[in-house]
């Protein structure tokens, strides 16, 4: 099914600088505590942080044949991730056994009661390469991309998903949703989740109640690394337009899915590899081909601009881009005009 998706008057957007992500999961906790504490959303992470290279969450979401749109713009329905091998179940731990052993000669360590197969961040910090020559990994926070051409919307036979005209945020009308999960199949980023208790789909709403008051989403506001920028695509005085359009250093994840994501990433730079004598070779540790598999061909020119502007800053020359990415004042990361008001300290 294909609907006419009305063009939004404006598009709220987010840029994440992957060079500053600590992998601390503060964003994941902020989002989870605010939106996903019900029993049916145990496995749902509207925001999560993955270690890359890795399988992602749910597992294998970076498979380019997952879903999305074909060259004709038609929706491709992919697979539903398995709760065991895709998302992972909530593990049960031996807390009582470990607590009872505290005064015993042999203490019992806390560990899962069952064999664990997969879960969020299961491959945390594993990465790739050989230590210390060329080992590498980086963190990739993910949320719904609130796409310009969302496949989840087309996939719903109930027309329960819509894209807001005011700000381009994609929402699920859960009064109309019948829980078919076609939207989960169609989203290649797998950022629509099924609430098996209420039997409806749920997804990131870009902290809509906060945005309407000019307050940044919780994941962005709580980020200690100041890596997230929030604003509108068309605001030429805001950080989004400058990073995406002017400097072209913020690029979408998997542009080949054909959905027009409105979440962008500043790709990670990496230290040089070392030779057998421990000397820098000048070659980056994160292979360019791997980054291109995630962010497309735009990653190379983006990295070139970042490296050039960083060198300018090192020489003491002014750089608007570096000043913007450094984020001296975190209030400057968020610009939600015209209803903008001061973010609460």
């Amino acid at each position: 099914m294909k609907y006419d998706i009305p063009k939004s008057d404006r598009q709220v957007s987010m840029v994440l600088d992957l060079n500053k992500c600590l992998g601390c999961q503060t964003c994941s906790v902020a989002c989870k505590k605010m939106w996903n504490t019900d029993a049916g959303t145990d496995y749902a992470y509207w925001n999560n942080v993955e270690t890359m290279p890795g399988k992602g969450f749910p597992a294998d979401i970076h498979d380019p044949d997952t879903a999305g749109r074909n060259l004709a713009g038609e929706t491709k329905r992919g697979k539903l991730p398995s709760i065991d091998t895709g998302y992972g179940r909530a593990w049960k731990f031996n807390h009582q056994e470990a607590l009872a052993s505290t005064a015993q000669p042999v203490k019992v360590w806390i560990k899962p009661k069952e064999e664990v197969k997969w879960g969020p961040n299961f491959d945390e910090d594993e990465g790739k390469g050989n230590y210390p020559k060329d080992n590498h990994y980086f963190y990739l926070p993910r949320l719904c991309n609130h796409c310009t051409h969302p496949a989840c919307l087309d996939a719903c036979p109930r027309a329960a998903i819509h894209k807001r005209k005011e700000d381009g945020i994609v929402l699920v009308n859960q009064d109309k949703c019948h829980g078919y999960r076609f939207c989960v199949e169609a989203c290649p980023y797998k950022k629509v989740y099924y609430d098996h208790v209420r039997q409806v789909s749920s997804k990131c709403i870009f902290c809509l109640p906060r945005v309407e008051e000019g307050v940044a989403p919780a994941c962005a506001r709580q980020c200690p690394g100041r890596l997230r920028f929030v604003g509108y695509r068309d605001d030429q005085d805001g950080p989004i337009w400058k990073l995406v359009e002017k400097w072209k250093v913020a690029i979408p994840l998997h542009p080949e899915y054909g959905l027009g994501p409105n979440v962008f990433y500043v790709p990670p730079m990496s230290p040089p590899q070392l030779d057998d004598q421990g000397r820098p070779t000048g070659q980056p540790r994160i292979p360019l081909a791997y980054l291109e598999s995630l962010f497309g061909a735009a990653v190379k020119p983006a990295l070139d601009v970042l490296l050039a502007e960083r060198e300018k800053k090192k020489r003491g020359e002014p750089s608007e881009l570096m000043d913007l990415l450094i984020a001296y004042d975190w209030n400057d990361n968020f610009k939600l005009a015209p209803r903008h008001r001061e973010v609460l300290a």
Side-chain angles (χ1 to χ4, degrees):
M1 188 170 292
K2 185 173 178 61
Y3 298 100
D4 290 330
I5 303 173
K7 183 176 174 57
S8 302
D9 292 339
R10 302 193 81 185
Q11 178 65 58
V12 69
S13 180
M14 187 180 292
V15 169
L16 300 92
D17 183 357
L18 299 184
N19 295 290
K20 298 166 70 178
C21 185
L22 311 171
C24 64
Q25 303 284 353
T26 302
C27 52
S28 303
V29 174
C31 179
K32 189 76 174 170
K33 291 293 290 182
M34 180 168 288
W35 299 112
N36 299 142
T37 55
D38 294 336
T41 61
D42 286 344
Y43 74 102
Y45 284 85
W46 289 2
N47 180 99
N48 70 297
V49 182
E50 301 163 2
T51 296
M52 305 301 291
K55 288 186 176 182
F57 180 81
D60 301 323
I61 71 101
H62 299 285
D63 175 358
D65 295 325
T66 304
R69 292 184 186 277
N70 59 24
L71 294 177
E74 298 168 338
T75 303
K76 293 190 295 182
R77 293 234 308 264
K79 298 178 181 178
L80 282 176
S82 161
I83 189 66
D84 287 312
T85 60
Y87 297 109
R89 297 179 186 272
W91 305 341
K92 296 178 180 178
F93 290 85
N94 62 335
H95 290 112
Q96 292 298 327
E97 184 184 6
L99 184 63
S101 73
T102 53
Q104 302 301 318
V106 179
K107 294 182 174 57
V108 176
W109 294 99
I110 294 175
K111 59 183 179 181
K113 288 183 176 180
E114 70 263 63
E115 179 186 1
V116 295
K117 300 177 181 177
W118 184 253
N121 226 18
F122 191 84
D123 49 4
E124 182 179 15
D125 293 357
E126 284 190 7
K128 295 288 185 181
N130 300 306
Y131 181 84
K133 291 178 61 177
D134 58 1
N135 63 303
H136 61 273
Y137 63 81
F138 63 93
Y139 300 111
L140 179 68
R142 293 202 307 112
L143 65 155
C144 172
N145 292 289
H146 297 278
C147 301
T148 301
H149 311 291
C152 59
L153 189 156
D154 274 349
C156 179
R158 295 277 301 165
I161 299 180
H162 70 282
K163 187 171 176 65
R164 286 200 0 147
K165 188 173 177 59
E166 303 94 307
D167 46 30
I169 293 175
V170 177
L171 300 175
V172 177
N173 182 339
Q174 295 184 329
D175 291 331
K176 297 176 68 175
C177 178
H178 277 203
Y180 298 145
R181 287 175 278 184
F182 296 148
C183 52
V184 182
E185 292 178 338
C187 175
Y189 300 98
K190 291 295 175 268
K191 276 301 177 185
V192 188
Y193 295 88
Y194 178 65
D195 182 330
H196 58 86
V197 174
R198 298 172 57 233
Q199 299 187 354
V200 292
S201 291
S202 68
K203 63 180 290 300
C204 160
I205 59 173
F206 211 81
C207 280
L208 175 58
R210 296 168 65 101
V211 169
E212 287 187 333
E213 294 298 322
V215 180
C219 59
R221 173 61 184 85
Q222 296 299 320
C223 175
R226 301 184 181 184
L227 65 97
R228 298 191 185 224
F229 301 81
V230 180
Y232 292 97
R233 293 283 306 269
D234 62 349
D235 181 4
Q236 297 192 13
D237 294 324
I240 304 299
W241 186 85
K242 290 179 179 177
L243 292 169
V244 175
E245 305 293 345
K246 181 178 181 180
W247 288 99
K248 301 186 186 306
V249 296
I251 50 182
L253 178 66
H254 292 304
E256 74 275 15
Y257 290 165
L259 306 184
N262 288 299
V263 172
F264 299 87
Y265 296 90
V266 177
M269 296 182 281
S270 56
Q273 298 179 21
L274 304 177
D275 63 16
D276 293 337
Q277 304 301 315
R279 296 170 299 198
T281 64
Q283 296 298 315
R285 293 193 175 211
I286 306 175
L288 178 61
Y290 177 70
L291 292 178
E292 288 177 334
S293 74
L294 296 177
F295 302 107
V299 72
K300 177 64 168 56
L303 287 172
D304 288 344
V305 171
L306 289 167
L307 290 169
E309 290 298 309
R310 188 175 69 176
E311 290 305 311
K312 283 175 58 178
K313 197 68 175 177
K314 283 182 178 179
R315 295 194 297 267
E317 301 173 16
S319 170
E320 180 197 43
L321 176 60
M322 286 296 109
D323 287 345
L324 185 58
L325 292 176
I326 289 170
Y328 295 103
D329 182 348
W330 59 267
N331 280 286
D332 295 338
N333 286 28
F334 314 129
K335 193 166 185 299
L336 291 166
R339 300 179 65 181
H340 174 74
R341 69 181 186 186
E342 291 296 323
V343 178
L344 300 177

